[in-house]
Amino acid sequence: MMNTRNVTRLHVLGLVLAVAASFAAPALAQADEKVAAEVLVVLAKEEPGEIDPALRDLPALTRPPFNAFKSMELLSRPKLELTPGKDSEITLPNGRKLRIQVVQILPNGRFRVRVSINRPNERDYLPLVVVVASENEPFFVAGQAYQGGTLVIGVRLSKPAE
Amino acid sequence: MNVDAQSKEQAEILREIAEDRARSLPPEASDLLFERIERAIEEEKKNERPRLRLLPGGAGITMTVLAAAAAIVLMYGRPAPAPVEHAEVTSPRGSEVVEVDFGSNAGTHFTVEGERGQRLAVVWIDDWELR
């Protein structure tokens, strides 16, 4: 039969577990929370031409220094579902790999993202970029030469629709 | 009559009685009364001690265990912070570069203005390998 002391100990243990669970729950929830990523791979050229209509919602690409490009073609628009803490990769038109990872979802809802560009069995081309971005606010990695133009990669993150 | 109205009436009667008594009190008696009040206040201040209470044994242990649990959870229950962190501007909109390593390449980073005036991060790397 349990005496009073044992009952008290059980209560204390229960309380401790409850406190621990309340602290740990948000961290576990965050690890499970997926993040949607949209990657825009754009080939920009200085020769006059068309600006892809799909890029109209990115007025940043019309501002300096991007306005030096007179034509822009959207080569691909892969969508990824990112798990915080895990790498995801897409292959770029030049054969390199763009690796992206949501490192953390900050308390204010912004995303801390790690990006690198490399090619298997070669030294990293762009070893590391860490960006903090708000939801649906893009960031760009540009400058890779490709087919007489320059690759402009835009990355936009959001929480998946429930 | 409701309770509020009754209380107000009683308070009014007490106030009137107190004022009558105060008016009828001779000045010597009044001074004496105030002296006694002041002395009593002084005595109370002198006798004041830090208010410490001894918790019963069980409660003390509970508090210790809870504090230890909270410390453990704070240390291990939260995601680890980013390993390297430079100055981070926590603007609520836009995007910004926190850290960049161009490796053996040359590059720069800057921001461009977004459609609502927010700053959007751009990392530009010089692709000398393929030029």
Side-chain angles (χ1 to χ4, degrees):
Chain A
M1 196 172 163
M2 277 207 249
N3 60 23
T4 315
R5 196 170 179 146
N6 282 339
V7 172
T8 310
R9 279 183 184 170
L10 274 176
H11 281 158
V12 170
L13 185 63
L15 196 57
V16 169
L17 289 175
V19 170
S22 69
F23 273 96
L28 293 172
Q30 194 186 54
D32 290 341
E33 198 171 351
K34 303 281 184 191
V35 176
E38 183 185 41
V39 181
L40 297 104
V41 183
V42 178
L43 176 61
K45 291 184 176 178
E46 289 173 24
E47 290 85 54
E50 243 190 22
I51 302 291
D52 200 312
L55 300 173
R56 279 188 192 136
D57 66 335
L58 280 174
L61 293 181
T62 62
R63 303 216 162 88
F66 295 115
N67 63 353
F69 300 117
K70 304 300 179 200
S71 67
M72 286 194 187
E73 181 190 353
L74 182 61
L75 299 180
S76 63
R77 195 176 200 157
K79 290 182 179 173
L80 305 168
E81 193 181 64
L82 306 177
T83 302
K86 290 186 179 168
D87 284 339
S88 291
E89 266 186 2
I90 63 161
T91 304
L92 299 173
N94 57 10
R96 291 180 180 138
K97 305 265 187 192
L98 175 85
R99 187 173 294 157
I100 182 166
Q101 182 191 116
V102 172
V103 180
Q104 190 184 2
I105 302 172
L106 301 174
N108 59 8
R110 305 184 88 202
F111 306 99
R112 186 192 297 271
V113 196
R114 184 197 302 258
V115 172
S116 62
I117 297 176
N118 47 55
R119 202 198 307 253
N121 307 318
E122 286 188 20
R123 66 188 167 81
D124 285 347
Y125 169 69
L126 176 60
L128 178 70
V129 176
V130 180
V131 173
V132 170
S134 296
E135 188 169 16
N136 292 316
E137 306 278 20
F139 61 92
F140 303 93
V141 179
Q144 297 179 79
Y146 181 67
Q147 289 188 348
T150 301
L151 286 180
V152 177
I153 300 162
V155 180
R156 196 155 41 186
L157 302 170
S158 62
K159 287 170 192 159
E162 288 174 13
Chain B
M1 190 185 286
N2 64 25
V3 178
D4 271 358
Q6 201 175 351
S7 300
K8 276 182 188 169
E9 195 179 319
Q10 284 171 352
E12 188 62 26
I13 292 166
L14 283 173
R15 192 178 60 78
E16 282 172 14
I17 293 169
E19 280 177 3
D20 281 349
R21 289 273 174 91
R23 274 194 289 272
S24 63
L25 206 63
E28 299 79 24
S30 173
D31 288 348
L32 206 62
L33 182 64
F34 272 99
E35 247 177 57
R36 280 175 59 193
I37 292 168
E38 282 173 356
R39 213 177 307 132
I41 292 169
E42 287 299 314
E43 285 293 315
E44 197 174 327
K45 277 184 185 168
K46 276 181 199 167
N47 293 334
E48 216 168 62
R49 295 268 187 283
R51 291 177 185 179
L52 293 176
R53 278 193 305 151
L54 189 63
L55 289 169
I61 291 165
T62 306
M63 294 301 286
T64 310
V65 171
L66 280 177
I72 289 166
V73 168
L74 283 174
M75 282 177 72
Y76 299 106
R78 302 247 165 180
V84 183
E85 204 170 294
H86 295 173
E88 181 186 322
V89 182
T90 53
S91 80
R93 297 192 316 177
S95 55
E96 65 259 356
V97 173
V98 177
E99 188 185 348
V100 62
D101 176 6
F102 290 107
S104 56
N105 294 309
T108 184
H109 65 92
F110 50 89
T111 59
V112 290
E113 198 179 306
E115 58 184 327
R116 286 171 286 127
Q118 76 275 37
R119 307 308 301 176
L120 302 176
V122 179
V123 174
W124 201 287
I125 187 160
D126 184 26
D127 198 354
W128 61 270
E129 287 179 344
L130 299 177
R131 281 186 202 282

